[in-house]
Amino acid sequence: ELAKIHKGPIQDSAKAETYAKRALELDASNLEAQLVLGDLAFEASRFIEASKAFEALVGRVGALGKEEAARTLVRYVESVGKASTPSDRASQAALSQSGELPSAGPNSGPLSGRISQVPSSVYPPGNPRIAAAVESLERLAPDDVHALVKVAKVVLDQGDAVTAKKTYESIVVNQAAKLSAPEKAEVFYGLGESMRRLGELDQAVEPLQQAANFDAGSPLPLRALARIYEEQQNWTEVLRVKKRRLDVATGQERFDLLIEIGDVYLQKLSDKALASKTYVAALEEKPDDRKLLTRLMQLYSEEKDWAKLVEVVLRLADFVEDKKQRAKYMHTAAAVAARQMGERDQAIAYYDRALELDPTLGKALEEAIELRRNKHDHDGVERLLKMQLDQAKDAQDRDKLREILDQLGELYQKFLNEPELAIDAYEAATAFDPEDKGRAEILAELYASDVTQYLDKAVKSQAQILKRNPYRVESYKLLRRLYTEAKKADRAWCMCQALGVLNLAEPDEERFYKRHRTDSAAPAQAALDESDWLKLAHADQDGLLTRIFALIQPVIIRARTKPLDQTGYDMRYAIDLSLHPYPISQTLYYAAGVLGMQPPLVFQNPNDPGGLGFVHAHQPAIVLGRAAFETQVSPQALSFIGGRHLAYFRPGYYVRHLVPTGTGLKAWLFAAIKLSVPQFPVTPDLQGQVTEAMASMNQDFDAVARERLASLVSKLLQAGGALDLKKWVSSVDLTVDRAGLLLAHDLQTSTEGIRATDDSSSLAVKERMKEAVLFSVSEEYFGIREKLLIAIDS
């Protein structure tokens, strides 16, 4: 009673629910408490909860008053119908938090059951409980036609066509006179739809027609009739029903109906003319529908009536106020005119109009460019490409910018005869994609077309090409021609020299090379300094690694060598290179002067069968074996061998031979790093060697040396990347090859010397020869030759 009072006069739903639940705890069979809970849940749109509460009453409604019984049955069926709809999600979420639902039966606890056990559709179609509820309602309140109509609709929506049909038939037979026209429309539609779902197609037609007559504004009966006729493949009736609805339909519904009618004409009746007429009518409803335009295009394509399609598209474009939408229509017209009608001038006019309306219409812009390109309208192509370029800049689309710049470059180069503009465009594209080999070769050709203005760029571009392909004949030939035209004799001679070594020289190139070739070493009139050594060093050489090894080289020498006298050599017997009368001694003296080096100690050892060797002692030295005096070689060959050997005594380079293994070099380098950065990680296999090397450095390094080392290590670590000692060793070997080539003054002799010194290098002969040829035609080599005054035009 308290629950009913709070639900009714007081209108306190929370307390009403509390009292009702308490009543059920005291007496689980209390119908009125269960009814209060059901009503509260229903009125709060908690339909899952309401359906469960009312379900407990369905079998016991006889104990309720007639009015309450009828209301309970109606609300039960309605709750089931709405239980899985979005409107009940709030209720479902609230119950999820508590995890409970009201009791479903008289003998269970009032709060038993879990919400997780309730499926999204609480009751499956054809549920016997719902059918029983409907039967009970018919029995208890046969005259309550509105209640019966309401439950019949819910039952039909739930998919129970059998029960729905039975209920609707009962209403039609017993209660039809009590219904208004809209209610009759609803009842007859429900009856016909139930029959249709049960497969009783012929029987369903009459009630559906009556429903349509009672409510001409409802689309439901006509849709159901259309489905029946579609299943029967009675396309004439399908069209009649859809057209009947078309007379009153508006907006999206009208558009959809026109499409459906057009599809029937086209796909079922093969009447393209009526299909076309219907699609055009649909297009007037939605002028911007791309799918419909595609259908029309397909239809007219089959009929090959492109002019009519263009006419329709243009007419529709006139009805659109939005410029961008109009541009799309003009684009469509242009595409059809160009591709299907072959009317290029007409298409160009449409494209121009489209781009005038919307310059950002990217696809139209691309198609217009291609069309003008095919028409050889190069000025028009240039204008459109510039428009496209501006848009790509605004969008910051790097890939698109590169693509357009390449197209502009090709246009200027091949069609507009504007090499300078072509170069500008290709150079701008290269900034976005510097690795494109094809573009690099095109640029190289363009540079070569104007030696006066672009010589430096032409040379640089060819050098990059040769780096990728050292045996590209065209690049050597082109560079030789460029240098000849620019009257740079020494560089032209060096190119002829390289062509001769590669067996690619033409007769006039061969003659020029031999005319200026000498048999003597480079007649240098100056010496190299540190800046020249930077030019001489191979590009792969890490300068920071070289400087670190140069700084710790004295420590490594002290740790890994013995005093000179313990190696079997005596300072008193060192050779004075300036006075020693043998070619090898004179060559070493000459090489040291040109390379800007103080020559190391040199000893002669008749017992050593070799030529040039190392004496690894506290004071490193060169040893001359018997072969150094007995072997007859040319001055140029001697200069290559001597200069190469002497270059290894450069600070830092000498470590390459003093510590010949990669593991040993790594240990000394890691020790130098760890001395400055104690937390630097070292693998266990190197720990012992690193610790020993660090001890040697701690013993030898003063504060100044430590500070210099810390600075170099800091720069090395900040540079990032892997510490590739193998690459560094190879770069040292290639650098000393370059020193030998510089002194030998002859590429042919140097390549022969490379073959002769194969055992002393970390690289294969083929790789060393390739690098020597590339250096012999490089700007660095030319510059050093000019400084030493050994160029043929010096």
Side-chain angles (χ1 to χ4, degrees), residues 18 43-44 49 82 123 131 176 187 267 458 512 646 687 719 769 783 791:
T18 300
E43 291 161 8
E49 184 181 337
K82 298 177 180 178
Y123 297 99
V187 169
Q267 299 170 14
F512 181 61
L646 190 62
Q687 190 63 56
M769 292 181 67

Side-chain angles (χ1 to χ4, degrees), residues 108-125:
S108 58
L111 300 178
S112 64
R114 308 299 295 179
I115 186 66
S116 60
Q117 297 171 348
V118 180
S120 60
S121 181
V122 180
Y123 297 99

Side-chain angles (χ1 to χ4, degrees), residues 35-75:
L35 184 59
V36 169
L37 287 175
D39 284 339
L40 287 170
F42 184 86
E43 291 161 8
S45 298
R46 303 195 304 270
F47 297 115
I48 294 176
E49 184 181 337
S51 65
K52 286 300 186 181
F54 288 135
E55 185 178 357
L57 301 172
V58 170
R60 305 163 64 196
V61 292
L64 300 172
K66 181 179 178 181
E67 184 178 340
E68 281 192 337
R71 179 171 55 79
T72 298
L73 292 170
V74 172
R75 285 195 166 186

Side-chain angles (χ1 to χ4, degrees), residues 129 258 317 325 411 484 525 548 572 620 622 657 703 754 790-791:
R129 290 182 180 273
L258 286 167
Q325 191 60 52
L411 181 70
T484 300
Q525 303 298 308
I548 289 174
R572 293 174 296 174
I622 293 175
H657 279 287
I754 286 172
I790 60 175

Side-chain angles (χ1 to χ4, degrees), residues 46 200 311 348 386 427 466 508 520 536 558 631 772:
R46 303 195 304 270
E200 301 171 6
E311 180 185 347
I348 286 174
K386 286 182 176 179
E427 286 180 341
L466 283 173
D508 57 335
S520 62
L536 196 65
R558 185 191 62 76
T631 305

